[in-house]
């Protein structure tokens, strides 16, 4: 093999130039957001050319170009289907650095700088959420992974440590010894009916089973009804053989997937304290509101009372995929995950190897990308980013309200960054059918990607007003939608 | 904000140049592998300069440089402490592409090319392992995550689907109904005493508890004793109240962490068939031997009989962290993880959204990095890479054997890529103490990083002969060790 520095010097600038051209292409107003995607054709082409022998630079670069051309171009800003955006350039550079370092952040000795950056970022985030000095946090590969680790951590922390050694089998025995009976001796997790499906999956993954999840009703704005939560917890606690089981964990959502609703953390925290439940806050999407002092007190009041919090900087903060943190109020709960592995963990003293604090082993240094994004924009810049996004969302809402051809769906109260709407009529279609017709028409044009979602009032287009996306993009989208509707009147 | 293409054009080439200089610096024979690491000092410096306001280009680049200087430099090739190496330049470029695409590979519509690449890579890997057409596979964030999903998948597939809805509680009831009693009704997982701790953690994570793991004895070369496995399974099966529980899952390791031992998959598969156990192969480290036809038949015979296999291309194949695949012989078992989420999954037809096949949600397109590495080197090049590494390992072993100042520890049989050795005597220290003294001396010099590990014969230096590392590096290491020993005689 030639020296890597030579190969890098030869190839990396070409890749840089290719990416730069792709970004610039995306910034052109006529570039489709969605590629002319034919999965079967691309798969055939890849399979047919499977490399038995290696490729030279030109062939390798050609392959990269082919893949770019068949990918969503986030730089158009017109891919608005998901809760993320084009990434910050600082975090793109962070990925380049991570690749060159190629370190696993599982033990400190393999990744001194990256371990340190992770601890520093976790501490800064924890402070924003009003956690005190003895908090801790780690990155996980995605919000679902963070939520799942929160459930597993709560299980380990509760029930006198039974879960770690004896699993759910031990918990059921423990609950029997404590007076619970039959199905009432099953540990149960409560979360709102509007929360993310990763909570259901966390229950499955942790061995509780999906029936261990109790879905608490929501109000018309998809906020958990705290009165209902209290009533359910009271009934489950009073009846030792309650069919819903024994409550130990409540999830509050800060920024639901469809409406962007924020549960009332403070009120829920008081209920959790009364019924001795772990309070987790899934702030995967809305947690970044913590950067804005105004939004923090409006949307996240009481976050310091939570036992654990998930936040995904790869969503609102334009950090590249993935970057999710699980924060805990009490550092000791993560250290319960430590396990003896004589071939791996050798640290003594103040440093704690990060793989001691998870249920995994090797880890990417995902915190670096948040750190560099934070460095680039500053706490002040990220606060302004959030505030500006909310201002745009209010403006887009006003635009839609002013348009008689469109009807609004349910909205978060106060409004966050999602707006559900649909055509009052599209050709002969109305209601959910009008939504699906509009979704299909936009997909076919490939200029805008907007997802649809079910709500209590039927299916609506769910527009994500990501703070990264400029106002004029939303205006262009609405113009295009109105043109489509008018052409089919 | 300025256009991203401008910012990228300004900053990315600078980052490229910085990385290129760092790689070249690493290639210099005098560059320390380990930074002069003072975690407290670095943390202090980071905390003191926490960015309330944003940074200009110069400050941002300076921060990046600081982090590089405080990181392990893999390009020295002298960081031999872990089961990975400097990455392939193709996979470094793959990370750049992933960052620019910033797609989540959870639904096809968000990542058409990356979803397709992942499916193609999984199919190619599955074929190498002798899986038939209806196999499937997905990337996971690390080998521990793959192993954990294997346990969860096996739990879902067994026991008539009880686990998904009712968790371990349901399994225990199910086993009671099927004649198991007391602790004999606990699902149990078997793995060798030399296997990775992630199997224990998988049992914890899945709600079985760490006591659900039965560690099967190994022979002098750390291979699972298949006779012991059969005897244990027989006893557990015969006795409905056996304290070890009811066996459902056996893990065979292909390439253990300390010695690089390969369990006899074929023999274990026959035992698993007899006792109706799921056979998982943790080939995180050694699985890449599948690229070499000679090694495949010597080390991985019977892999096609497994139910699931973990392989981490980020270990032996020089792909950047992370890149791990969980492969399954029967595609249907992963599809059991599908869950209804009306706001997310809209696909109809032949495409299966990847997040339907895991217990997570958002996912990085990690397969791209394997694909580009495969393109660069070809199947033939990767086979040669494995074979050359094994030839170097045999040569290094001969060098150590020829040296009277060093003694060998236990070795895999046949030899793989790890060699355990220690000084016969270092100053007044012998045995494990000599190992620890040598480890400390090398750490202090910072030129070579070699880990130590416990074995049945005490603690030894565990040298990883990664195929990426040139022969002359090992010769230099041994020379340096001998000089250290001679200077303290």
């Amino acid at each position: 093999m030639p020296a890597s520095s030579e190969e890098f010097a030869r190839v990396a600038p070409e890749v840089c130039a290719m990416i730069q051209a792709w970004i610039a292409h995306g910034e052109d107003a006529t570039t489709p957001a969605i590629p002319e995607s034919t999965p079967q054709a691309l798969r055939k082409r890849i399979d047919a050319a499977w490399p038995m022998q290696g490729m030279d630079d030109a062939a390798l670069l050609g392959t990269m170009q082919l893949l770019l051309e068949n990918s969503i171009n986030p730089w158009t800003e017109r891919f608005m289907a998901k809760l993320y955006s084009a990434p910050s350039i600082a975090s793109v550079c962070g990925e380049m650095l991570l690749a060159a370092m190629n370190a696993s952040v599982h033990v400190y000795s393999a990744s001194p700088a990256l371990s340190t950056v992770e601890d520093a970022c976790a501490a800064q985030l924890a402070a924003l959420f009003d956690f005190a000095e003895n908090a801790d946090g780690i990155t996980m590969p995605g919000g679902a992974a963070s939520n799942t680790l929160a459930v597993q951590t709560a299980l380990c922390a509760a029930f006198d440590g039974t879960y770690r050694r004896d699993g759910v089998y031990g918990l059921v025995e423990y609950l029997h010894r404590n007076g619970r009976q039959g199905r009432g001796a099953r540990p149960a997790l409560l979360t709102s009916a509007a929360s993310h499906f990763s909570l259901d999956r966390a229950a499955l993954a942790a061995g509780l089973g999906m029936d261990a999840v109790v879905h608490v009703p929501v109000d018309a704005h998809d906020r958990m009804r705290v009165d209902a939560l209290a009533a359910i917890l009271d009934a489950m606690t009073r009846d030792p053989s309650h069919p819903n089981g024994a409550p130990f964990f409540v999830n509050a959502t800060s920024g639901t997937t469809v409406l962007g609703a924020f549960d009332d953390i403070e009120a829920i925290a008081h209920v959790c304290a009364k019924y001795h439940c772990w309070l987790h806050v899934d702030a995967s999407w809305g947690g970044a509101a913590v950067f804005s002092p105004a939004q923090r007190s409006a949307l996240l009041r009481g976050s310091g009372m939570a036992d654990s919090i998930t936040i995904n900087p790869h969503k609102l903060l334009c950090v590249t995929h993935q970057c999710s943190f699980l924060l805990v109020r009490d550092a000791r709960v993560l250290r319960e995950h430590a396990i003896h592995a004589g071939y791996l963990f050798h640290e003594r003293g103040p440093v704690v190897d990060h793989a001691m604090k998870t249920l995994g082993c090797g880890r990417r240094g995902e915190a670096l990308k948040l750190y560099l994004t934070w460095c680039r924009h500053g706490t002040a810049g990220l606060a302004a980013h959030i505030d500006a996004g909310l201002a745009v969302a209010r403006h887009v809402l006003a635009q839609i309200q002013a348009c008689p051809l469109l009807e609004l769906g349910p909205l978060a109260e106060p409004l966050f960054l999602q707006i559900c709407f649909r055509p009052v009529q599209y050709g002969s279609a109305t209601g959910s059918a009008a939504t699906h017709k509009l979704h299909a028409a936009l997909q076919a044009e490939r200029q805008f990607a907007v997802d649809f979602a079910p709500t209590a009032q039927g299916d609506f287009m769910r527009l994500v007003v990501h703070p990264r996306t400029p106002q004029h993009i939303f205006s262009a989208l609405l113009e295009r939608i109105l043109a489509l509707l008018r052409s089919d009147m």
Side-chain angles (χ1 to χ4, degrees), chain A:
Chain A
M1 280 194 190
S4 294
S5 57
E6 282 171 35
E7 187 182 351
F8 186 85
R10 221 173 54 231
V11 180
E14 300 271 351
V15 176
C16 256
M18 187 188 297
I19 289 173
Q20 191 186 317
W22 198 55
I23 296 176
H25 181 59
E27 288 168 353
D28 183 310
T30 64
T31 300
I34 307 175
E36 201 165 355
S37 176
T38 48
Q40 290 85 351
L42 181 62
R43 176 68 188 272
K44 238 181 218 166
R45 191 162 165 186
I46 286 176
D47 283 349
W50 199 262
M52 288 308 297
Q53 306 299 324
M55 289 182 184
D56 62 14
D57 290 357
L60 189 68
L61 290 162
T63 302
M64 292 182 190
Q65 185 65 47
L66 174 72
L67 296 174
L68 279 178
E69 285 165 9
N70 282 279
S71 294
I72 301 290
N73 191 323
W75 308 95
T76 62
E77 311 275 11
R78 285 177 267 108
F79 181 77
M80 300 183 273
K82 301 291 166 205
L83 303 176
Y84 57 84
S85 67
S88 76
I89 296 300
S91 80
V92 172
C93 295
E95 296 285 8
M96 294 167 67
L97 236 55
L98 282 183
M101 292 173 174
N102 196 36
S104 176
V105 191
H106 62 330
V107 294
Y108 179 86
S109 64
S111 51
L114 293 177
S115 296
T116 305
V117 163
E118 184 169 337
D119 286 343
C121 285
Q124 293 285 341
L125 287 174
L128 285 175
F129 281 106
D130 287 331
F131 279 169
E133 277 284 298
N134 59 337
D136 200 2
I138 47 163
T139 59
M140 292 293 293
S146 291
N147 287 342
T148 301
L149 185 60
V151 171
Q152 289 156 334
T153 300
L155 283 165
C156 286
F159 312 109
D160 294 339
T162 307
Y163 183 76
R164 182 178 159 97
R165 291 241 66 87
D166 283 327
V168 176
Y169 178 89
L171 297 194
V172 173
E173 285 202 325
Y174 178 94
L175 288 165
H176 279 148
R177 282 197 305 275
N178 284 269
R180 306 285 305 183
Q181 293 153 19
R183 288 181 76 87
R186 295 178 61 179
L189 180 164
L190 291 88
T191 188
S192 92
S195 66
H196 192 258
F197 77 104
S198 60
L199 274 303
D200 300 83
R201 277 216 170 136
L204 164 55
L208 298 174
M210 284 170 57
D211 270 359
V213 181
V214 179
H215 292 102
V216 180
V218 291
D219 68 15
H221 304 285
D222 272 3
R223 273 178 307 218
M224 184 191 281
R225 280 184 43 208
V226 184
D227 59 333
L229 172 71
I232 294 170
L233 283 173
D234 198 61
M236 291 170 75
T237 306
R238 278 174 195 277
D239 177 1
S241 53
H242 196 286
N244 283 352
F248 78 101
F249 184 102
V250 174
N251 173 68
T253 304
S254 293
T256 59
T257 308
V258 179
L259 299 197
F262 284 69
D263 291 339
D264 183 340
I265 301 172
E266 192 172 43
I268 294 171
H270 288 302
V271 175
C272 284
K274 180 168 173 191
Y275 293 100
H276 308 293
C277 285
W278 181 284
L279 172 56
H280 176 66
V281 178
D282 177 7
S284 293
W285 166 237
V290 82
F291 280 88
S292 158
Q295 298 308 323
R296 184 184 349 176
S297 61
L299 301 173
L300 297 161
R301 188 190 302 273
S303 62
M305 301 161 79
D307 294 289
S308 55
I309 298 174
T310 294
I311 175 173
N312 290 5
H314 71 235
K315 290 192 159 77
L316 261 178
L317 295 178
C318 309
V319 174
T320 45
H321 281 106
Q322 305 250 10
C323 186
S324 174
F325 280 80
L326 178 67
L327 307 172
V328 295
R329 195 183 54 204
D330 181 345
R332 289 171 300 182
V333 298
L334 288 182
R335 297 186 188 175
E336 292 292 315
H337 297 316
I339 188 170
H340 178 72
Y343 48 82
L344 184 60
F345 300 119
H346 302 146
E347 285 300 335
R348 302 283 177 274
V351 172
V352 178
D353 288 330
H354 284 83
M356 301 280 267
K357 300 196 268 183
T358 76
L359 296 177
C361 185
R363 309 168 68 249
R364 287 188 97 230
E366 311 284 25
L368 174 68
K369 305 170 312 189
L370 170 63
Y371 178 56
L372 293 177
T373 300
W374 205 323
C375 284
R376 180 52 134 186
H377 301 286
T379 307
L382 295 176
H385 168 80
I386 298 296
D387 289 336
L390 284 161
V392 172
R394 286 189 293 269
H395 185 76
V396 174
L397 176 62
Q399 285 180 291
I400 296 176
Q401 277 172 322
C403 179
L405 297 182
L406 300 176
E407 63 173 329
L408 286 168
L411 296 172
E413 172 54 43
L415 184 72
F416 194 53
L417 296 165
Q418 290 107 298
I419 302 174
C420 288
F421 71 96
R422 65 186 177 196
V424 174
Q425 182 157 13
Y426 188 0
S428 59
T430 58
S432 296
T435 298
H436 293 286
K437 185 168 177 181
L438 176 58
H439 181 259
L442 289 173
Q443 284 288 116
E445 290 194 336
R446 302 194 288 115
Q447 288 301 112
F448 292 92
V450 184
D451 213 350
F452 68 89
T455 77
Q457 300 169 31
D459 293 354
F460 286 84
M461 302 300 286
R462 183 209 51 178
L463 184 58
V464 179
V465 183
H466 197 288
R468 176 74 166 72
T469 315
Q471 165 69 56
H472 72 84
I473 298 277
F474 298 105
S475 300
L477 168 68
L478 292 176
E479 260 176 52
R480 186 62 206 142
I481 289 174
L482 295 179
L484 282 167
L485 298 183
R486 287 187 187 117
S487 72
D488 194 9
M489 268 179 167

